[in-house]
Amino acid sequence: MSVPTPPESIPGARLLFTLDPSVSYLNHGAFGAVPLSVQRTQQRLRDEMEANPQRFFGMALIDRLAHTRRHLAAFLGADPEGTALVGNTTTGVAVVLQSLGLRPDDEVLGTDHGYGAVNYSVARECRRTGATTRSLHLPRSATDAQIVEIVRACLRPGRTRLLLVDQLTSATARVLPVAALVAVAREHGIPVLVDAAHVPGMLPVQVDAIGADFWVGNLHKWGFAPRGTAVLVVAPSWRTRIEPLVVSWQQAEGFPGNVEWQATLDYTSWLSAPAGLYALRSLGVERVRAHNAALAAYGQQVVGDALGVPPADLPDPGGPGVAMRIVPLPAGVAGTLEEAAALRGRIAERLAAEVAVMAWHGRGWLRLCGQVYNTPDEYERLAARLPALLAEVGRG
Ligand SMILES: Cc1ncc(COP(=O)(O)O)c(C=O)c1O
């Protein structure tokens, strides 16, 4: 296969981060990476908190949180009145699930591209309420139109109480047509929760235009915010029904304050999130998106080529701007969660590269991300050394 031309690197971008220079960090999608300027912002806020905790919590913190919420909502095209800061996507999902008032005979419909921890959360809420959960198979190669038809055929009006879909899937790095899925579910009055964990910062989005009942996304992945920063966006008709996980002093205020205020916590990650967006904007949001998507595509091609994967078998994410790509691993490698975790560790240790290794339907996949701090040679080095390591794994 002819080697594609990699995108031009963004000069100096790596220096904005404190990543270990001896490691190729190709897994931004897992836990993000926080620019130094944002780490410093958070430290300054912590210094302020420790200088006088009473003053920090007692004066203006609620207003500062509201200001932060408005800033993040504007970036995402969401109604600030319907946007709550939460610690992470998993928490946002849990808030929604426990607010649904599920009953026996109700079902939550998800897909087999859903995120594992979110599936556990759905399963627990179903156990607690007597509801059931159903997972739809969406073939990896299905078109958007086919996906919409598969979902349409599986909705059970009167029984399906929630459709849960990912905007960009984790294990399969696939963009799902969430606006069209919301429209289909709406025809039957079925609420939709969009898990958009990877979307803020990576993909252009107008959350309100999607029209979902619930949309939750992390700022701490592609939005350069400190970890523990996410938003839950709720449609007007649900706002009075949303219950926080922990009831605290803002309970009487209703949504979003009651969901945000979780008693005495370190709220500095949220307050630092605008600095993450500032870093992204300083680099140029569109430039970063184009660079990251092109670099991830480059990485997919060089690594796929090294593993002998025909270009046609390298999955297309199904939409522009996606900075995560997957490469199929040889049959029999990393087909289970445990094997995938072991291989990830081995690649980190032996090849000084951090990647995600996913097991999906018994098959192993390597997931590569592109970020401003990455350069083409990092994927090339991985491509040069991975086949030998996989051969070793194959030999046991
Ligand atoms: C699709 C999806 N949903 C949910 C999550 C969970 O995110 P968090 O750990 O920040 O709650 C992830 C994390 O990677 C994800 O990829």
Side-chain angles (χ1 to χ4, degrees), residues 84-86 91-92 95 99 232 242-246 250-251 254-262 270:
L85 292 154
V86 290
T91 299
V95 168
S99 301
L232 166 64
I242 285 288
E243 287 296 336
L245 291 181
V246 173
Q250 293 295 306
Q251 181 64 5
F255 189 85
N258 63 343
V259 166
E260 284 176 353
W261 189 258
Q262 298 281 282
W270 295 356

Side-chain angles (χ1 to χ4, degrees), residues 61-69 85 261 267 270-271:
L61 180 53
I62 299 280
D63 289 343
R64 289 167 92 172
L65 294 176
H67 177 75
T68 303
R69 172 210 302 152
L85 292 154
W261 189 258
Y267 292 94
W270 295 356
L271 299 180

Side-chain angles (χ1 to χ4, degrees), residues 29 88-90 115 118 166 168 170 195 197-198 218 220-221:
N88 46 52
T89 293
T90 309
Y115 188 71
V118 166
D166 295 24
L168 172 59
S170 171
D195 176 345
H198 289 277
N218 283 329
H220 59 216
K221 289 182 187 288

Side-chain angles (χ1 to χ4, degrees), residues 283-309:
L283 288 161
V285 181
E286 292 313 321
R287 179 186 185 211
V288 168
R289 284 186 179 142
H291 169 271
N292 293 353
L295 193 56
Y298 176 75
Q300 182 193 41
Q301 290 192 40
V302 271
V303 173
D305 198 25
L307 298 183
V309 181

Side-chain angles (χ1 to χ4, degrees), residues 183-258:
V184 165
R186 177 140 303 158
E187 285 168 21
H188 301 289
I190 295 171
V192 181
L193 165 57
V194 175
D195 176 345
H198 289 277
V199 172
M202 189 209 284
L203 301 180
V205 67
Q206 283 292 319
V207 174
D208 284 348
I210 294 171
D213 300 79
F214 316 103
W215 186 97
V216 57
N218 283 329
L219 273 299
H220 59 216
K221 289 182 187 288
W222 303 88
F224 291 154
R227 276 163 219 102
T229 310
V231 294
L232 166 64
V233 183
V234 176
S237 60
W238 280 97
R239 289 176 197 166
T240 54
R241 287 180 275 170
I242 285 288
E243 287 296 336
L245 291 181
V246 173
V247 173
S248 187
W249 285 105
Q250 293 295 306
Q251 181 64 5
E253 302 304 315
F255 189 85
N258 63 343

Side-chain angles (χ1 to χ4, degrees), residues 56-132:
F56 185 85
F57 280 89
M59 273 180 59
L61 180 53
I62 299 280
D63 289 343
R64 289 167 92 172
L65 294 176
H67 177 75
T68 303
R69 172 210 302 152
R70 283 194 293 271
H71 188 88
L72 302 183
F75 179 74
L76 296 167
D79 175 4
E81 303 299 313
T83 302
L85 292 154
V86 290
N88 46 52
T89 293
T90 309
T91 299
V93 167
V95 168
V96 171
L97 291 174
Q98 64 141 26
S99 301
L100 289 174
L102 291 175
R103 291 195 299 225
D105 295 335
D106 289 348
E107 73 165 17
V108 175
L109 184 61
T111 79
D112 59 353
H113 295 247
Y115 188 71
V118 166
N119 292 341
Y120 288 146
S121 189
V122 171
R124 192 193 67 167
E125 187 61 13
C126 287
R127 270 199 313 277
R128 199 178 70 78
T129 57
T132 53

